[in-house]
Amino acid sequence: MTATTTRASTARSGRERGRSRDSLAAWLRRPRPPLAPPRWLAVLATAAGAIALAVVPLVNPSYINLTLTLVMIWTIVGLGLNLLVGFGGQVSLGHSAFFAIGAYAVAVGGAAGLPHPATLAGAAVVPFVVGYLVGLPALRLHGLQLGLVTLAMAMATPAAIRALEPLTQGSRGIAIDGSPPAWVPLAHDQWVYYLALALATVAYVVTRRLARGRLGRSFVAVRDAEVVAETLGVDVWHTKTRLFAASAAYAGVAGGLYAMLLEFIGPENFSLTLSISFVTLIVVGGLATVPGAVLGALFVQYVPTLTSSISPAATGAAYGVVLILFAFFVPFGLVGLARAALGRIVARLPGARGT
Amino acid sequence: MLLQQIADGVATGAIYGALALAIVLVYRASRTLNFAQGELALLGAYVSWQLVAWGVPLWTALAISMIALGALSAASERVLVRPLVRRHQPLPLIIVTLGLMIALNAVIGWAWTYQTKEVPALFGEGAVTVAGIALSRQDLGIAATVLVVAIGLGLLFERTRAGLRMRAAISAPESAELSGISTGRTMTAGWAIAGAVGALAGTLIAPELFLHPGMMAPVLLYAFAAATLGGLESPPGALVGGIAVGVVENLAGSYLPHGSDFKQVVALVIIVAVLLVRPQGMFGRREVVRV
């Protein structure tokens, strides 16, 4: 408890000292501690959020459920990709490939007559194994080379799907039965919504624990000072390969849910654009933050619907400009902005921790 | 038949080599990969097309396009890349060039729509038959142009004072700064030349692939494969790598089942194989990290 107190107070005094001197750009770039709301507020907000999320699909038309489910699917990808890129410092431009593998695992498994839980497990396991195998050699490479390999993976994905026609039915696409089992009295969109909600919640909690625990700190150590981390007893190579594989598994599960949601997928669903929107997601949400995945997911789901009403090119322009602006000025993304805006307010609430 | 395929591969390979050359120049200047290199080349092709459509002679249009893209590339180095290179932040650097790639592509789609446009061949129609192999005038012209550019750049780097300064700034930046060479200026120069070479590559390949906003993405991938194969730091390596990739791509397209689909996978396989077996490529130096 004392440790937290000192850290919070030094952070605050540093902020106040800096304010008069720093430019706006430097103020935006400053790293900040996560918000520490008082316990009653955290409990209240979580409870209210949980109830809202549980009731929403029962009262909404199916197309709203569809977009909300997509938000949760993007959240799962974002959590995994942020573990890799934000915490691990490894670039991947190829997560659309793992997303596709997950989707096709569900599609092919379903076609072979397997029930849903089994196909979704496959959507986690197959990308994990593939990610591990890709990671074995690829992680000997440093940042840029890994970016290159994964970019090539993303670009080759649609072609690979078309070429593996016996399995994937090529460019004709493949249908998936996403309807709930007989004992569940829900419509298709509600069923997939609850599945996605459950898996996104699990992914969120697991990622939060990972990020704060020993493993998360070893990721950050490998990212910031690989040689030092190795000297201190972190098995760098194992850390990296497992991280890569775990991140691929997140993307795979999300891909599996995506296939169940759309009930029809083809090679054109998994283009380079998808990978780029994943990268945009974590950059906008906030690299190396856990809640960033949720904010980023909202961004990549709703901004394109706004921009595409202007012009088909506007989405790309918006993504590109946002990527550049965030990389320069807002390195901690929307979460960083929220911390900057709300940090002082939250610290003054009655019962706030660390005051 | 085989020889014909190889000859066709050499011509497309020369273009991959030219774009790979641009990638290598940028890498030598800033130690980063410019993911927007393909879109810059695409913009060059569109500028050439637009000028020709306005009645400018083709070769003049190409020259203007190369100058314009050189300037744009230099400006993006100065504004977007330099501050991040100075801060030693590899991840934001990748994000920024990725953002530039998407934004440029969108701007091109906005300005010129997503419909394909036909570009006049720079070297005219027709073919020359040598020993049973039909070489189109276009292919011969492309190979010759790329060769001339490569020799010109080689002379610039090896035989002029400016080239000596650039090499010094790349191989020993601190000592170069101390002896009065502005490393910043050489970085910008590297990007400017890369932009111009890219515009040339884009304009050369546009008649083959038909001009549309998605044209350069696969070409960029092959160029990355070529640059990796050549060692990322070596301009001659980029050219040799480009031709090798062009030939392999063409042979894979004709002789493998599902060849046209596997073409893109070929680039991935080349990149991974080179990085695993010989990460420094054919002409690069092994990188040693000092702790």
Side-chain angles (χ1 to χ4, degrees):
Chain A
M1 199 59 212
T2 24
T4 342
T5 318
T6 19
R7 201 172 57 220
S9 63
T10 40
R12 199 166 49 249
S13 66
R15 191 155 61 220
E16 271 152 15
R17 238 186 303 118
R19 173 157 299 177
S20 54
R21 224 174 13 187
D22 287 347
S23 62
L24 177 67
W27 182 75
L28 280 173
R29 270 204 291 270
R30 187 171 317 123
R32 293 181 168 80
L35 294 177
R39 175 131 287 149
W40 61 267
L41 183 62
V43 171
L44 209 65
T46 314
I51 292 169
L53 284 173
V55 175
V56 153
L58 302 176
V59 297
N60 273 321
S62 61
Y63 73 92
I64 292 190
N65 291 344
L66 184 94
T67 54
L68 287 174
T69 311
L70 282 172
V71 169
M72 292 187 285
I73 288 171
W74 307 143
T75 302
I76 298 175
V77 181
L79 288 166
L81 188 58
N82 213 349
L83 263 187
L84 182 71
V85 182
F87 291 94
Q90 309 289 314
V91 189
S92 170
L93 310 175
H95 263 47
S96 63
F98 299 118
F99 191 79
I101 294 172
Y104 274 95
V106 165
V108 173
L114 293 172
H116 280 161
T119 56
L120 267 180
V125 171
V126 179
F128 184 89
V129 173
V130 175
Y132 195 84
L133 294 178
V134 171
L136 284 179
L139 293 168
R140 274 176 35 197
L141 315 172
H142 64 78
L144 279 174
Q145 296 172 329
L146 188 61
L148 195 56
V149 170
T150 50
L151 176 80
M153 264 172 55
M155 291 179 77
T157 301
I161 293 172
R162 276 195 294 271
L164 294 171
E165 196 173 353
L167 204 59
T168 62
Q169 304 190 10
S171 41
R172 273 177 296 141
I174 188 166
I176 299 105
D177 179 20
S179 51
W183 51 270
V184 180
L186 289 171
H188 163 248
D189 58 295
Q190 294 166 333
W191 163 243
V192 184
Y193 176 98
Y194 282 119
L195 269 182
L197 179 62
L199 288 169
T201 311
V202 170
Y204 191 92
V205 172
V206 167
T207 313
R208 215 165 98 116
R209 305 227 66 169
L210 271 182
R212 290 184 176 182
R214 181 190 153 88
L215 210 52
R217 289 200 301 274
S218 68
F219 294 157
V220 173
V222 170
R223 175 190 73 189
D224 292 340
E226 190 171 317
V227 181
V228 176
E230 191 148 32
T231 325
L232 292 176
V234 177
D235 186 339
V236 169
W237 194 74
H238 263 110
T239 309
K240 281 186 180 179
T241 38
R242 283 188 201 147
L243 182 58
F244 198 77
S247 171
Y250 278 82
V253 170
L257 287 167
Y258 182 77
M260 290 175 65
L261 180 67
L262 295 195
E263 299 198 290
F264 188 83
I265 51 171
E268 66 283 0
N269 289 84
F270 307 101
S271 61
L272 178 64
T273 321
L274 185 67
S275 257
I276 287 171
S277 71
F278 292 162
V279 174
T280 314
L281 188 167
I282 57 168
V283 171
V284 167
L287 289 171
T289 64
V290 181
V294 182
L295 299 180
L298 290 166
F299 180 91
V300 296
Q301 179 58 37
Y302 292 109
V303 167
T305 41
L306 291 178
T307 48
S308 59
S309 60
I310 306 170
S311 149
T315 307
Y319 277 21
V321 170
V322 159
L323 277 178
I324 293 171
L325 286 180
F326 273 64
F328 264 92
F329 299 115
V330 202
F332 301 95
L334 293 176
V335 168
L337 286 182
R339 284 176 186 169
L342 302 177
R344 292 162 69 87
I345 302 171
V346 169
R348 294 220 178 133
L349 290 172
R353 283 174 273 175
T355 45
Chain B
M1 177 64 188
L2 180 66
L3 283 177
Q4 179 69 54
Q5 293 293 340
I6 292 175
D8 291 345
V10 169
T12 33
I15 296 175
Y16 300 156
L19 196 60
L21 190 61
I23 292 164
V24 165
L25 289 172
V26 161
Y27 184 78
R28 278 162 58 114
S30 306
R31 297 277 134 190
T32 189
L33 296 175
N34 183 5
F35 288 106
Q37 203 78 59
E39 303 312 308
L40 285 168
L42 181 66
L43 185 59
Y46 269 100
V47 170
S48 302
W49 177 85
Q50 186 65 66
L51 290 170
V52 170
W54 283 337
V56 180
L58 188 51
W59 286 95
T60 321
L62 174 62
I64 297 174
S65 157
M66 285 175 70
I67 293 168
L69 264 294
L72 181 65
S73 174
S76 55
E77 190 276 332
R78 207 56 205 79
V79 177
L80 297 177
V81 174
R82 181 90 57 89
L84 297 176
V85 171
R86 293 276 194 244
R87 269 190 254 150
H88 295 287
Q89 292 179 314
L91 183 61
L93 207 51
I94 292 176
I95 294 170
V96 162
T97 61
L98 201 64
L100 189 62
M101 163 179 146
I102 308 160
L104 272 177
N105 189 275
V107 167
I108 289 168
W110 212 323
W112 283 285
T113 75
Y114 289 90
Q115 274 160 0
T116 52
K117 303 198 180 330
E118 211 161 322
V119 181
L122 275 162
F123 305 97
E125 305 296 324
V128 186
T129 312
V130 181
I133 304 165
L135 301 167
S136 71
R137 290 170 55 112
Q138 178 71 4
D139 284 356
L140 285 174
I142 287 172
T145 313
V146 172
L147 195 64
V148 167
V149 169
I151 292 172
L153 284 177
L155 289 177
L156 173 72
F157 284 129
E158 302 293 332
R159 293 292 157 86
T160 64
R161 285 194 70 82
L164 182 64
R165 272 192 227 111
M166 289 182 78
R167 281 187 294 137
I170 291 159
S171 61
E174 275 155 33
S175 321
E177 283 274 354
L178 287 174
S179 42
I181 296 168
S182 159
T183 49
R185 212 173 287 163
T186 56
M187 276 162 76
T188 313
W191 279 68
I193 300 172
V197 172
L200 175 71
T203 311
L204 285 176
I205 204 170
E208 320 262 308
L209 298 179
F210 298 109
L211 191 54
H212 63 97
M215 178 183 85
M216 271 330 245
V219 179
L220 179 70
L221 189 60
Y222 292 126
F224 273 135
T228 314
L229 188 58
L232 262 188
E233 284 198 57
S234 150
L239 285 177
V240 176
I243 289 169
V245 169
V247 170
V248 170
E249 179 222 353
N250 226 358
L251 292 179
S254 333
Y255 291 105
L256 287 181
H258 292 286
S260 52
D261 283 335
F262 266 122
K263 272 183 167 189
Q264 311 231 326
V265 183
V266 166
L268 172 64
V269 170
I270 292 175
I271 292 174
V272 172
V274 172
L275 290 178
L276 287 186
V277 178
R278 197 177 154 82
Q280 70 271 37
M282 292 187 295
F283 295 85
R285 277 168 315 170
R286 182 179 286 275
E287 235 174 87
V288 183
V289 180
R290 185 180 291 170
V291 182

